[in-house]
Amino acid sequence: MASFTLELHPRGPEDPQSQRVSVLAQGELPEYGQVWVWDMLYAQQLFALGDSPLAGELRETLELWAVNMSSKVFQPWDHIRLKGHLRLSEDLELVRPVPGEDAAAPQPGQVIDLQVEGAADDLPRIRVSPDILPPEARYWLVLAMAQYFIAQNDMFARELPIHLLAFRKYHADINLPQTAAAAEEAPFYAIQKAMEYFQSAGGAQ
């Protein structure tokens, strides 16, 4: 169906906190399927991170953004973009893929492949390779894919805050994010709660 190749470029000494990430997309992923794919990726990577401190940092970064954005999802989108409200992290910079850019770097960048599989009418499945990744790579993988989809699709940007708040509720009330049950169930929960929210909000307008 679609694949995404991400490269986490080596950090420069002039700004060691900043992480540059390029995303190369191949194939087609319908806009309505992007949030579903990202939900599965988020749940999968939280499970893989387990009790790593970066798991908590990832959740905090995304949930703080979601709380701020949730009150803005029905505001004019051009205004929201202009104000910079759609930026998930000041330390993340998406850059265009440039073949061979890191060839002369002392250390090559980390390359991660995200494969989205499944027929058009089926729920997609995702596969991340390599299977073994450092926690930092998983952290930036989740943030970078969210930022990439935000840049591509206003519908994703509008829905993501509600999905993240649903994840937070699921993890608080039902299963912790590092459990296998959460990895399996939390995306379905987020989709359902977001549908209920937008249906209710649409009826109230």
Side-chain angles (χ1 to χ4, degrees):
M1 182 183 290
S3 66
F4 303 89
T5 300
L6 294 86
E7 183 170 0
L8 279 58
H9 298 273
R11 300 189 187 192
E14 68 282 356
D15 191 4
Q17 298 301 317
S18 178
Q19 178 62 66
R20 296 163 57 246
V21 183
S22 59
V23 182
L24 177 64
Q26 294 181 301
E28 293 188 12
L29 180 62
E31 287 188 348
Y32 63 82
Q34 290 174 358
V35 72
W36 173 244
V37 166
W38 187 87
D39 283 355
M40 289 192 295
L41 177 68
Y42 182 43
Q44 181 190 88
Q45 297 309 306
L46 284 179
F47 174 63
L49 283 166
D51 59 0
S52 165
L54 279 175
E57 186 177 332
L58 177 60
R59 292 177 61 202
E60 181 178 5
T61 297
L62 289 168
E63 289 170 9
L64 284 174
W65 176 83
V67 168
N68 180 55
M69 269 299 300
S70 62
S71 62
K72 301 179 175 65
V73 295
F74 294 110
Q75 291 183 11
W77 221 237
D78 288 344
H79 172 76
I80 291 174
R81 286 191 183 278
L82 186 63
K83 291 292 186 179
H85 294 314
L86 297 182
R87 188 165 185 180
L88 296 173
S89 170
E90 293 295 323
D91 294 330
L92 171 65
E93 181 186 358
L94 290 187
V95 296
R96 292 185 179 277
V98 179
E101 180 184 10
D102 284 349
Q107 295 180 337
Q110 170 77 62
V111 176
I112 307 169
D113 287 317
L114 170 62
Q115 299 285 335
V116 183
E117 303 167 342
D121 295 333
D122 297 334
L123 291 177
R125 300 179 303 278
I126 64 168
R127 180 166 49 87
V128 171
S129 60
D131 295 331
I132 299 174
L133 287 169
E136 293 83 1
R138 297 187 186 279
Y139 175 91
W140 292 114
L141 166 63
V142 172
L143 282 183
M145 285 309 304
Q147 196 70 73
Y148 176 80
F149 286 143
I150 284 173
Q152 298 291 316
N153 180 4
D154 286 350
M155 183 170 67
F156 178 92
R158 192 181 302 278
E159 290 195 13
L160 183 60
I162 310 306
H163 285 247
L164 285 167
L165 295 180
F167 268 102
R168 183 175 69 170
K169 180 172 176 57
Y170 177 92
H171 294 147
D173 296 348
I174 304 174
N175 286 305
L176 294 173
Q178 63 266 34
T179 62
E184 182 72 23
E185 297 172 2
F188 291 96
Y189 184 89
I191 288 283
Q192 182 62 38
K193 291 299 180 184
M195 287 178 57
E196 292 173 1
Y197 172 83
F198 284 107
Q199 287 172 355
S200 175
Q205 288 186 330

